[in-house]
């Protein structure tokens, strides 16, 4: 069997093994080990028993928290079981007893089936971005009310929650602060969830205003421009009734209320009162609305307290189509979430919205307390919080973090996921994509398809990628005697001419072994030349590649 075909076979084998592993009937019949046993062997690493702390440490490395509501049964059983042991360790039997009621989630976690499979290394990247922004000193803490003015400018926190409920936090993530304008997308989502898009947009537009968020101004139809500016948010407030949505959005994590902030907002809220009266004059509210009590409700919603951690779950519920990742509860309709993300994308960052959409390309909403609620749709929700604001009212450190995140990872809405830009793709799909890319590359080398290889090189594919056996495209092309492919890989792509596969063979060994003399000559000539010009720079390679393509 040729090597390239073996690569494909290997993939088929993986799929086969996965299918096998789902054969629960056979497991139950005792023919195959149970999922619980597999999990035990994975974590035990050859030992007879698993110390409880080893289990919880391994669990945390997947991104799951021991306090995750989805693991309640497991954790309760663990507590009870540990009391019966003398050494705080679990044998296979006890382990099974503890994990069996949450085995599906645990198996997913340990088989790296979550959206961010390598959660530890992703978290390490987040910590670096956090540290980078921490050094920033610019900006002003809002001081129009004492409750905001009292915050230290040094406070800085980032918390994230993925759509699979993986959590990571860094910095002051447990300090309560008010959502302020970050509540605007949430109440808009609730309004659409309750009444539908058509009804809500009878009262509010969908267009960026191009004006400051608290401007006393309506669009041509005498409606507020959108629900992310104050006028729109005040009207939106008149369309919603309940606050218990907030708890559900946050998966029952911390949601509080700052009465002092509410009182101060009301006392200092002349502009909002002016907007309220203007909206009333222009008949912007549904019939029968009591404008002043709506304004009170508006100030109360601004005064809802969260922590960075709990707000990251709210953002994750938006990232997850309205389902709270850690409770599994459907909180908002998919339609309301889609609308909300669209409007956050175009209008969420005050007068920086267009630039943010351009540079970061993700839906976000910031607030005067220094929060930025950021959503990576279908991947994760993030809350950044740091009180110092830039001139446009956005958190200085928050903006830096969001920008850095998108420079590092291909999370921008218009980053191309197929022809990989040279950015990190921490998603699961990324892993699959890489496997596919090795197969495609080696298959093209096997069939001698130079034009496919040109396309791969143009889309920044790593032409030195190795398969399971550490074989490269050059090994395969040399073994198959495809002289043109060998030349292209060496001269245009400047791949390493002497990679070793897992048996220690180089492409030259392959060409000799299979008697491809033309390939032997090309490799030898190139090798001589290569050893003479070791200083060749990446830039030179690129120029060369341009020429050849
Ligand atoms: N309480 C503020 C207002 O309505 C919210 C400001 C903000 O976060 O943008 O004016």
């Amino acid at each position: 069997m040729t090597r390239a075909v073996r690569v494909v076979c290997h993939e088929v084998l993986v799929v086969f093994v996965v299918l096998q592993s789902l054969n629960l009937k056979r497991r139950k019949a005792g023919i195959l080990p149970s999922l619980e046993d597999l999990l035990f062997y994975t974590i035990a690493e050859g030992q007879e028993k698993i110390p409880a702390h080893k289990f919880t440490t391994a669990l945390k490395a997947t991104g799951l928290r021991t306090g995750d509501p989805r693991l309640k049964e497991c954790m309760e059983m663990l507590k009870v079981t540990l009391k019966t042991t003398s050494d705080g360790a679990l044998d296979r039997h006890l382990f099974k007893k503890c994990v069996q009621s949450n085995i599906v989630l645990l198996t997913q976690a340990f088989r790296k089936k979550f959206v961010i499979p390598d959660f530890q290394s992703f978290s390490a990247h987040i910590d670096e971005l956090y540290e980078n922004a921490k050094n920033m000193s610019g900006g002003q803490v809002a001081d129009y009310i004492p409750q905001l003015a009292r915050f230290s400018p040094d406070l800085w926190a980032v918390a994230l929650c993925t759509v699979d409920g993986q959590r990571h936090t860094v910095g002051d993530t447990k300090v309560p602060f008010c959502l302020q304008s970050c509540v605007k997308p949430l109440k808009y989502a609730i309004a659409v969830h309750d009444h539908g898009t058509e009804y809500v947009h009878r009262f509010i537009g969908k267009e960026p205003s191009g004006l400051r968020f608290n401007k006393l101004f309506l669009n041509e139809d005498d409606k507020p421009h959108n629900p992310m500016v104050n006028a729109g948010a005040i009207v939106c407030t008149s369309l919603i009734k309940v606050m218990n949505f907030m708890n559900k959005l946050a998966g029952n994590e911390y949601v509080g209320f700052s009465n002092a902030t509410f009182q101060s907002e009301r006392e200092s809220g002349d502009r909002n009162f002016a907007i309220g009266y203007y909206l009333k004059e222009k008949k912007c509210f549904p019939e029968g609305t009591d404008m002043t009590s709506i304004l009170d409700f508006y100030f109360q919603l601004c005064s809802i307290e969260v922590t960075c951690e709990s707000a990251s779950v709210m953002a994750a519920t938006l990232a997850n189509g309205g389902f709270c990742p850690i409770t599994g509860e459907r909180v908002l309709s998919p339609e309301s979430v889609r609308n909300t993300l669209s409007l956050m994308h175009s209008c969420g960052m005050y007068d920086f919205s267009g630039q943010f959409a351009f540079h970061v390309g993700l839906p976000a909403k910031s607030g005067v307390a220094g929060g930025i609620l950021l959503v990576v749709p279908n991947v994760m929700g993030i809350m950044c919080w740091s009180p110092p604001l830039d001139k446009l009212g956005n958190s200085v450190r928050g903006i830096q973090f969001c920008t850095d995140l998108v420079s590092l990872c291909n999370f921008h809405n218009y980053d191309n996921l197929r022809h990989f830009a040279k950015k990190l793709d921490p998603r699961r799909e990324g892993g699959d994509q890489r496997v596919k890319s090795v197969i495609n590359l080696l298959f093209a080398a096997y069939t001698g398809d130079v034009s496919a290889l040109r396309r791969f090189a143009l889309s920044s594919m790593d032409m030195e990628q190795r398969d399971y056996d550490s074989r490269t495209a050059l090994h395969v092309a040399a073994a198959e005697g495809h002289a043109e492919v060998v030349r292209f890989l060496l001269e245009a792509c400047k791949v390493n001419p002497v990679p070793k596969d897992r048996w220690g063979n180089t492409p030259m060994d392959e060409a000799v072994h299979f008697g491809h003399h033309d390939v032997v000559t090309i490799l030898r000539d190139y090798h001589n030349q290569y050893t003479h010009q070791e200083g060749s720079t990446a830039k030179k390679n690129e120029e060369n590649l341009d020429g050849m393509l």
Side-chain angles (χ1 to χ4, degrees):
M1 189 170 26
T2 67
R3 319 277 202 219
V5 171
R6 254 210 352 260
V7 175
V8 178
C9 287
H10 173 68
E11 293 311 313
V12 173
L13 192 70
V14 169
V15 173
F16 180 64
V17 169
V18 171
L19 286 176
Q20 284 263 317
S21 72
L22 291 173
N23 195 337
L24 291 173
K25 254 194 214 152
R26 292 180 67 200
R27 287 190 190 298
K28 288 208 178 115
I31 300 166
L32 292 170
S34 66
L35 290 176
E36 288 87 348
D37 284 345
L38 282 179
L39 194 59
F40 179 85
Y41 298 132
T42 310
I43 301 171
E45 293 171 318
Q47 302 298 304
E48 294 279 291
K49 286 182 173 187
I50 300 178
H53 65 85
K54 183 167 182 176
F55 173 52
T56 49
T57 308
L59 188 66
K60 283 180 197 152
T62 70
L64 285 182
R65 284 191 170 175
T66 50
D68 191 309
R70 296 167 298 169
L71 291 177
K72 192 161 164 263
E73 294 84 359
C74 168
M75 289 303 143
E76 276 171 4
M77 186 55 83
L78 184 63
K79 222 175 180 180
V80 174
T81 308
L82 284 176
K83 283 192 190 135
T84 68
T85 66
S86 53
D87 54 358
L90 305 165
D91 63 16
R92 201 162 58 88
H93 170 71
L94 289 181
F95 181 80
K96 187 169 188 159
K97 206 168 114 193
C98 292
V99 297
Q100 62 192 2
S101 33
N102 303 124
I103 190 63
V104 174
L105 182 67
L106 290 167
T107 303
Q108 268 184 309
F110 284 97
R111 283 210 183 143
K112 296 199 181 287
K113 295 291 181 205
F114 285 160
V115 65
I116 307 289
D118 189 355
F119 196 70
Q120 275 188 306
S121 87
F122 180 69
S123 303
H125 283 302
I126 295 294
D127 291 351
E128 276 168 33
L129 303 186
Y130 171 89
E131 288 302 328
N132 184 37
K134 191 176 184 169
N135 301 327
M136 305 190 68
S137 57
Q140 288 290 318
V141 178
D143 58 2
Y144 69 95
I145 54 173
Q147 291 75 20
L148 287 175
R150 74 181 162 84
F151 278 123
S152 158
D154 297 330
L155 288 161
W156 170 220
V158 173
L160 69 90
C161 174
T162 72
V163 292
D164 287 317
Q166 297 163 284
R167 314 285 298 270
H168 181 64
T169 62
V170 48
D172 307 301
T173 50
K174 291 189 193 308
V175 183
F177 62 94
C178 286
L179 277 172
Q180 292 282 4
S181 279
C182 295
V183 82
K184 288 179 168 107
L186 306 177
K187 62 185 164 182
Y188 168 71
I190 296 167
V192 175
H193 175 84
D194 281 346
H195 303 287
T197 308
E198 193 278 325
Y199 181 78
V200 171
H201 286 284
R202 272 189 223 170
F203 300 93
I204 313 167
K206 307 163 186 154
E207 197 65 30
S209 66
L211 299 164
R212 280 195 72 78
F213 71 102
N214 60 357
K215 196 92 180 165
L216 215 151
F217 204 74
L218 298 175
N219 69 15
E220 305 185 323
D221 303 327
D222 276 348
K223 288 187 205 171
H225 285 83
N226 65 66
M228 304 297 152
V229 294
N230 284 18
I234 292 170
V235 172
C236 210
T237 305
S238 70
L239 303 177
I240 66 171
K241 305 263 170 324
V242 280
M243 264 168 66
N244 72 345
F245 264 98
M246 298 295 162
N247 296 314
K248 290 189 191 173
L249 281 166
N252 302 316
E253 294 197 356
Y254 181 79
V255 177
F257 175 69
S258 164
N259 193 46
T261 303
F262 164 53
Q263 299 297 343
S264 295
E265 284 288 340
R266 186 158 58 172
E267 271 158 38
S268 66
D270 293 342
R271 170 63 64 106
N272 286 319
F273 278 99
I275 294 174
Y277 280 105
Y278 186 46
L279 291 168
K280 186 173 166 212
E281 181 211 337
K282 295 288 185 185
K283 307 213 177 333
C284 292
F285 293 110
E287 224 160 279
T289 301
D290 173 5
M291 187 271 291
T292 48
S293 54
I294 288 303
L295 274 181
D296 269 358
F297 193 21
Y298 171 87
F299 295 132
Q300 284 163 3
L301 291 174
C302 287
S303 311
I304 290 178
E305 270 186 350
V306 291
T307 62
C308 225
E309 289 192 18
S310 63
S312 72
V313 180
M314 294 175 159
T317 302
L318 294 179
N320 197 32
F323 286 80
C324 176
I326 60 168
T327 60
E329 191 179 359
R330 185 190 150 171
V331 187
L332 293 167
S333 67
E335 173 192 352
S336 66
V337 172
R338 195 186 71 169
N339 287 0
T340 305
L341 297 179
S342 302
L343 290 169
M344 286 167 78
H345 186 89
S346 56
C347 319
M349 300 297 288
Y350 305 118
D351 291 351
F352 192 64
S353 299
Q355 293 201 60
F356 193 86
F358 181 85
H359 290 290
V360 179
L362 289 172
K365 183 72 196 86
S366 64
V368 72
I372 298 183
L373 194 74
L374 181 74
V375 179
V376 186
N378 304 304
V379 181
M380 68 180 70
I382 302 179
M383 182 55 135
C384 308
W385 177 58
S386 179
L389 308 176
D390 63 20
K391 288 209 173 66
L392 297 174
N394 294 310
S395 164
V396 171
R397 293 193 182 97
I399 292 280
Q400 183 70 40
F401 177 86
C402 297
T403 314
D404 287 350
L405 178 69
V406 168
S407 316
L408 176 72
C409 303
N410 57 1
F411 286 164
H412 189 296
N413 193 28
Y414 302 113
D415 272 331
N416 191 293
L417 301 182
R418 191 164 164 197
H419 305 288
F420 328 112
K422 285 179 183 152
K423 279 195 194 180
L424 187 70
D425 188 354
R427 277 167 277 214
R428 185 150 64 90
E429 284 73 12
D432 291 351
Q433 196 72 37
R434 270 189 287 280
V435 172
K436 277 191 209 139
S437 116
V438 183
I439 297 176
N440 289 340
L441 178 64
L442 268 58
F443 198 73
Y446 167 65
T447 54
D449 188 343
V450 184
S451 73
L453 290 168
R454 271 201 198 99
R455 269 187 287 118
F456 296 154
L458 268 180
S459 53
S460 319
M461 187 185 274
D462 175 2
M463 304 300 278
E464 293 186 340
Q465 288 180 91
R466 289 159 180 264
D467 77 352
Y468 177 77
D469 292 325
S470 273
R471 312 249 318 146
T472 64
L474 193 60
H475 280 103
V476 175
E480 298 301 324
H482 293 306
E484 211 191 326
V485 173
V486 169
R487 200 172 282 127
F488 176 75
L489 289 169
L490 292 172
E491 294 173 7
C493 307
K494 297 276 178 213
V495 298
N496 174 8
V498 285
K500 288 196 173 139
D501 66 14
R502 71 185 267 206
W503 301 278
N505 292 333
T506 62
M508 177 67 97
D509 297 331
E510 300 289 304
V512 171
H513 181 75
F514 291 100
H516 299 303
H517 304 298
D518 48 347
V519 174
V520 171
T521 313
I522 297 168
L523 282 165
R524 187 181 302 128
D525 290 353
Y526 185 78
H527 191 247
N528 292 339
Q529 207 183 324
Y530 184 82
T531 42
H532 284 126
Q533 47 143 289
E534 247 167 26
S536 81
T537 61
K539 175 139 183 23
K540 216 157 139 200
N541 292 348
E542 265 168 36
E543 277 165 15
N544 210 329
L545 186 63
D546 283 347
M548 293 284 288
L549 294 166

